Amino acid sequence: MDKKAFLGMGLLGSNFVKAMAKRGESVQVWNRTTAKAMGLEQFGATAFADVKEAVQGVTRIHVTLKDDVSVDEVLEAASAGFTPGAIIIDHTTTSKEGVIRRTAYWKERGVTYQHAPVFMGPANALDSTGYMLISGDEALIKTLEPELKPMTGKLIHYGPEVGKAASIKLIGNAFLVCFAFGLRDMMGVAKAQGVGVDDILKLFQDWNPGAQADARLKRLSMDDHTNPSWELAMARKDTQLFLDSAQQNNIQLSLLPAIAGVMDQWIEKGFGNNDWTIVGKDFS
């Protein structure tokens, strides 16, 4: 089996390597902090202090780093050791623009760069579950599929547009951030009401608001909001109750004050009797 290199031994990268080793793959690893790479040797990987040496003799170079800057710096430093025909597979969450630029830059230098970001935590990387996103050169993707599928629970294609997978990953992460902070605000309102987390968990056992995400997105993006299931003015009334309760109990909320401001803007424009999801028209 051909050797592979993996650059970036954080929580995600190190568990990817452990899973590769379990599958009997030969992996050469590197990390800025050499000790982290050395720690993978007990699982069968070969660690290198010099990134150029880590990529020598391999046909696939996997990358899981911090951001665009770190990816650019590490790949540039490693490039002197690239084997002709080697393919870079970058799992880092980066900008769409960075992916487009890197794809073109490395192509000019005779190197193939493919972005494949993931919705996977360390446990997913170790168990080969979760989701990997990919877009770009479809012939290349077809070639890489047999190698990438064992790394993840599902490999999701987003077509031939270079950078599309990067955009989808950022969109998904934006939702996760808002989701977590939405739960934080909910916890704040619950505290103001004297309700504990256990009671909220009990509610979610019977009522799953996450199941509404699909339908809610469709309502936010629809053209006609004149047949309301919940009027914007009524949603704003409830939002004020959240805010008042938190203020009375000296609890600082993150999202709800800004949400109230957006609602007020739409109400001032005369849409108070429309469905509250009319606020999605800002972006639809």
Side-chain angles (χ1 to χ4, degrees):
M1 183 175 291
D2 292 339
K3 291 181 179 180
K4 297 179 180 179
F6 216 114
L7 312 180
M9 293 297 98
L11 295 174
L12 194 64
S14 60
N15 275 3
F16 269 134
V17 169
K18 292 174 187 176
M20 287 177 168
K22 283 183 181 179
R23 293 193 294 270
E25 299 179 30
S26 178
V27 192
Q28 300 179 178
V29 299
W30 171 90
N31 194 72
R32 289 184 191 272
T33 304
T34 305
K36 288 187 177 181
M38 297 293 291
L40 274 300
E41 291 200 326
Q42 64 179 304
F43 299 97
T46 303
F48 291 85
D50 188 333
V51 69
K52 295 190 298 295
E53 295 179 3
V55 300
Q56 287 177 355
V58 304
T59 56
R60 300 292 185 266
I61 302 165
H62 291 266
V63 180
T64 305
L65 296 166
K66 180 183 178 182
D67 52 21
D68 286 295
V69 173
S70 61
V71 172
D72 289 338
E73 289 177 350
V74 170
L75 290 181
E76 197 64 45
S79 61
F82 287 167
T83 299
I87 298 174
I88 301 165
I89 305 168
D90 183 9
H91 306 291
T92 309
T93 299
T94 65
S95 68
K96 174 181 179 180
E97 294 77 15
V99 170
I100 294 170
R101 175 175 46 76
R102 275 188 293 279
T103 302
Y105 174 78
W106 288 108
K107 184 177 182 179
E108 290 176 1
R109 296 184 63 177
V111 177
T112 300
Y113 171 91
Q114 175 63 55
H115 193 228
V118 298
F119 286 116
M120 298 169 69
N124 298 119
L126 185 61
D127 297 336
S128 302
T129 57
Y131 305 90
M132 185 178 292
L133 317 179
I134 198 164
S135 68
D137 185 326
E138 294 186 321
L140 172 62
I141 291 171
K142 187 174 182 180
T143 299
L144 295 177
E145 265 188 347
E147 303 174 45
L148 296 180
K149 282 185 174 179
M151 296 178 66
T152 184
K154 187 171 185 179
L155 181 64
I156 307 176
H157 291 240
Y158 279 98
E161 181 184 341
V162 175
K164 183 71 171 289
S167 293
I168 297 296
K169 177 63 197 299
L170 291 179
I171 291 165
N173 277 11
F175 173 81
L176 293 177
V177 170
C178 291
F179 183 51
F181 271 80
L183 289 173
R184 178 186 181 275
D185 272 18
M186 178 201 68
M187 291 169 67
V189 173
K191 184 175 181 179
Q193 295 290 316
V195 175
V197 173
D198 287 345
D199 288 319
I200 301 171
L201 292 171
K202 184 178 184 302
L203 170 65
F204 286 170
Q205 289 172 2
D206 298 312
W207 173 65
N208 178 16
Q212 302 177 26
D214 218 34
R216 188 69 65 208
L217 178 59
K218 289 176 182 177
R219 290 188 71 83
L220 282 162
S221 58
M222 68 184 182
D223 292 327
D224 185 8
H225 292 82
T226 57
N227 184 27
S229 61
W230 192 20
E231 291 182 350
L232 175 59
M234 294 301 291
R236 178 63 180 89
K237 180 267 296 181
D238 283 7
T239 301
Q240 192 60 47
L241 290 174
F242 313 149
L243 297 176
D244 290 345
S245 179
Q247 185 177 25
Q248 290 161 11
N249 289 274
N250 296 315
I251 292 171
Q252 185 175 3
L253 302 177
S254 301
L255 299 183
L256 286 168
I259 289 168
V262 174
M263 288 179 167
D264 288 341
Q265 291 172 15
W266 279 92
I267 290 171
E268 288 169 7
K269 290 188 288 188
F271 293 97
N273 293 326
N274 281 245
D275 191 86
W276 73 296
T277 54
I278 194 168
V279 296
K281 279 193 171 293
D282 284 325
F283 307 114
S284 63

